């Protein structure tokens, strides 16, 4: 990748009410329903953090329903 096309954006990790993760440009407010959590940095750093902490991809509501039904 040439240096002019390199992504120089700084991101932050965001999470919604269902505990689903994403990244968002750090200089912007997260979208409605999302809040800033965890890491801030280059894209790869943020995605690596998400990979570490988001070990159960099921939405929170589904996890709760499944836990109540056992």
């Amino acid at each position: 990748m040439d240096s002019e096309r390199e992504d120089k954006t700084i991101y932050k990790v965001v999470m919604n009410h269902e505990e689903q993760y994403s990244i968002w440009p750090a200089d912007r407010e997260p979208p409605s329903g999302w809040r800033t959590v965890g890491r801030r940095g280059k894209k790869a750093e943020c995605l690596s953090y998400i990979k570490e902490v988001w070990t159960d991809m099921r939405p929170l509501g589904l996890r709760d329903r499944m836990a109540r039904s056992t």
Side-chain angles (χ1 to χ4, degrees), residues 9-25:
T9 306
I10 299 298
Y11 293 92
K12 57 187 170 188
V13 177
V14 295
M15 183 174 69
N16 67 15
H17 70 284
E18 288 285 354
E19 295 184 356
Q20 296 168 309
Y21 290 83
S22 190
I23 61 173
W24 196 253

Side-chain angles (χ1 to χ4, degrees), residues 47-58:
L47 293 176
S48 177
Y49 173 78
I50 290 172
K51 186 176 180 180
E52 284 178 37
V53 298
W54 196 11
T55 57
D56 188 341
M57 302 299 249
R58 297 173 300 166

Side-chain angles (χ1 to χ4, degrees), residues 32-65:
S32 178
W34 294 79
R35 61 187 167 89
T36 302
V37 296
R39 182 86 62 218
R40 175 187 174 111
K42 293 185 177 182
K43 186 176 189 176
E45 296 167 357
C46 291
L47 293 176
S48 177
Y49 173 78
I50 290 172
K51 186 176 180 180
E52 284 178 37
V53 298
W54 196 11
T55 57
D56 188 341
M57 302 299 249
R58 297 173 300 166
L60 179 61
L62 176 60
R63 294 192 316 258
D64 288 346
R65 282 192 300 278

